[in-house]
Amino acid sequence: MDQSNNVTVFILMGLSKNKNIEILCFVLFLFCYIAICGGNLLIMISIMCSQLIEQPMYFFLNYLSLSDLCYTSTVTPKLMTDLLAERKTISYSNCMTQLFTTHLFGGVEIFILTGMAYDRYVAICKPLHYTVIMSRERCNTIITACCTGALIHSASQFLLTIFLPFCGPNEMDHYFCDVYPLLKLACTDTYRIGLLVVVNSGLIALMTFVILMVSYLLILYTLRAYPAESRSKALSTCTSHVTVVVLFFAPALFIYIRPATTFPEDKVFALFYTIIAPMFNPLIYTLRNTEMKNALRKVWCCHVLLRLNKIYSNHPAPLLGGIRGQAGIIISVVLCFNLTPYQQTECNSYSHASPPKIGIKN
């Protein structure tokens, strides 16, 4: 432990040494991070403010969006700051903290994806017992197990790394603190520790990926007996899930399933599960999911109608002919014209305002 105090700061090499490329990457990742925050918050609010929260699949999706948001926030803000900095450094304590949190939230995401696969398996392969098996108590138990498993995994990675002595070079060829780059800098034999990391990270990721793929293969096998319409809907949902699984697991397996070695390509592959996958998750789960799209329209339509109700309450009828009134009507029409009659009735009764009903078909 005394030797570890010789290095108090690590220098991150980052993605590139070319300043123009770094500025371009900063702009790109800034838009990506805004999309990640906006998309995942939109999903969480839409689920929690609608009846979808009562369904197990969306209950898990809500927590998946939360873990996505937390996971990418442990890496992306620091990455964007370093892209504009002349000297990219991170203190030893912050490095260990980043290592712990990235593996914690990454582990939560992996296990939640497994829980979602189990939910789809029960829904399709055991539909008559679905409500009994996937009760709210069972869903809460699964989420608790996901967090506990992720905590054990992250604590193991942290304990394997915190006692390593760092007494020599402190330049890390990466853009965030991870186990393999740290093992490369340690001034001791890390062969056994590297094997433990492979078991703790690589083997867990591989087993989880195999379990996920087997569950979806069983689902596809069961779907053969379903009617065409039901089969199409189930396939659409499962395709979304498989796309997310592949985006996250493929690059993670490339990095963690091999022995403790690092390659320059690791940084590029790490971008997939730290930034790209969390950015595409909201798009995949909303654009391919009719229930989510309806929930988005319903929640945000009601929000607009309430805002219009407040405007119309504070300003009498002449405002209807003004620019603000016309803009409000246009927004309400654009957001609400595709709602089902039931959703329109609920929005109208929720808003208690007659003017915003303009342009909504009854």
Side-chain angles (χ1 to χ4, degrees):
M1 282 296 292
D2 293 336
Q3 287 179 304
S4 64
N5 293 329
N6 293 343
V7 174
T8 58
V9 174
F10 292 105
I11 299 174
L12 301 173
M13 302 300 291
L15 293 173
S16 175
K17 295 182 180 180
N18 188 312
K19 198 60 184 177
N20 293 329
I21 294 177
E22 286 188 330
I23 294 173
L24 180 63
C25 288
F26 172 81
V27 175
L28 177 63
F29 294 146
L30 176 63
F31 282 110
C32 288
Y33 190 60
I34 292 172
I36 291 168
C37 294
N40 284 294
L41 285 173
L42 191 65
I43 286 180
M44 291 167 59
I45 294 171
S46 299
I47 290 176
M48 289 189 293
C49 294
S50 69
Q51 294 181 347
L52 290 181
I53 192 65
E54 302 298 328
Q55 300 182 35
M57 185 177 79
Y58 298 101
F59 175 81
F60 291 130
L61 179 57
N62 182 48
Y63 280 98
L64 180 67
S65 295
L66 178 60
S67 64
D68 268 339
L69 192 58
C70 295
Y71 180 53
T72 194
S73 295
T74 62
V75 175
T76 310
K78 172 63 177 171
L79 169 61
M80 291 191 299
T81 303
D82 287 342
L83 286 171
L84 298 180
E86 291 294 331
R87 185 176 172 84
K88 306 169 181 60
T89 61
I90 184 170
S91 66
Y92 178 84
S93 58
N94 287 342
C95 182
M96 295 299 114
T97 302
Q98 188 180 57
L99 173 71
F100 179 81
T101 53
T102 51
H103 281 272
L104 174 65
F105 295 118
V108 169
E109 182 165 356
I110 286 176
F111 294 131
I112 287 179
L113 287 172
T114 309
M116 294 177 74
Y118 175 71
D119 169 69
R120 289 301 86 201
Y121 168 78
V122 175
I124 294 172
C125 299
K126 299 181 180 180
L128 298 179
H129 303 283
Y130 179 71
T131 53
V132 176
I133 296 175
M134 297 305 297
S135 62
R136 181 45 56 94
E137 182 180 356
R138 176 68 61 83
C139 292
N140 288 328
T141 302
I142 291 174
I143 291 296
T144 303
C146 291
C147 295
T148 304
L151 182 62
I152 293 172
H153 161 71
S154 182
S156 302
Q157 298 288 76
F158 179 77
L159 291 174
L160 287 173
T161 312
I162 193 69
F163 295 110
L164 288 175
F166 299 100
C167 51
N170 63 341
E171 290 188 351
M172 191 183 305
D173 189 17
H174 216 299
Y175 61 89
F176 71 96
C177 285
D178 203 2
V179 181
Y180 283 168
L182 286 170
L183 290 180
K184 189 176 180 180
L185 295 180
C187 51
T188 186
D189 183 15
T190 59
Y191 177 75
R192 292 182 179 179
I193 296 177
L195 291 179
L196 292 175
V197 172
V198 171
V199 172
N200 190 31
S201 292
L203 199 58
I204 288 176
L206 180 61
M207 290 175 60
T208 306
F209 181 72
V210 170
I211 291 171
L212 288 170
M213 290 297 102
V214 169
S215 66
Y216 285 117
L217 287 175
L218 291 174
I219 289 172
L220 290 175
Y221 179 80
T222 306
L223 285 175
R224 297 186 309 165
Y226 275 56
E229 184 178 352
S230 300
R231 187 165 61 244
S232 175
K233 182 179 179 181
L235 280 173
S236 177
T237 302
C238 290
T239 301
S240 302
H241 291 194
V242 171
T243 304
V244 172
V245 167
V246 172
L247 271 176
F248 189 89
F249 277 91
L253 286 173
F254 174 80
I255 292 176
Y256 292 110
I257 201 62
R258 65 174 188 256
T261 55
T262 58
F263 299 109
E265 295 81 8
D266 289 352
K267 294 183 286 187
V268 178
F269 281 99
L271 288 173
F272 278 90
Y273 57 81
T274 55
I275 297 177
I276 296 175
M279 181 182 67
F280 277 104
N281 281 1
L283 294 175
I284 292 169
Y285 282 113
T286 54
L287 295 181
R288 296 183 59 87
N289 193 307
T290 304
E291 288 182 319
M292 270 304 306
K293 287 189 284 189
N294 288 338
L296 288 169
R297 292 193 191 103
K298 176 182 174 181
V299 170
W300 298 104
C301 171
C302 292
H303 175 71
V304 170
L305 294 181
L306 283 171
R307 291 290 300 271
L308 288 173
N309 180 35
K310 184 177 181 180
I311 292 174
Y312 292 134
S313 299
N314 295 335
H315 302 275
L319 183 60
L320 276 171
I323 296 176
R324 292 174 65 187
Q326 293 173 0
I329 293 171
I330 292 172
I331 292 172
S332 64
V333 171
V334 169
L335 289 176
C336 303
F337 77 99
N338 273 332
L339 290 178
T340 63
Y342 171 77
Q343 291 169 337
Q344 292 174 11
T345 303
E346 188 169 347
C347 265
N348 292 338
S349 61
Y350 186 55
S351 64
H352 298 294
S354 54
K357 293 181 183 178
I358 297 173
I360 301 178
K361 297 178 182 178
N362 293 319

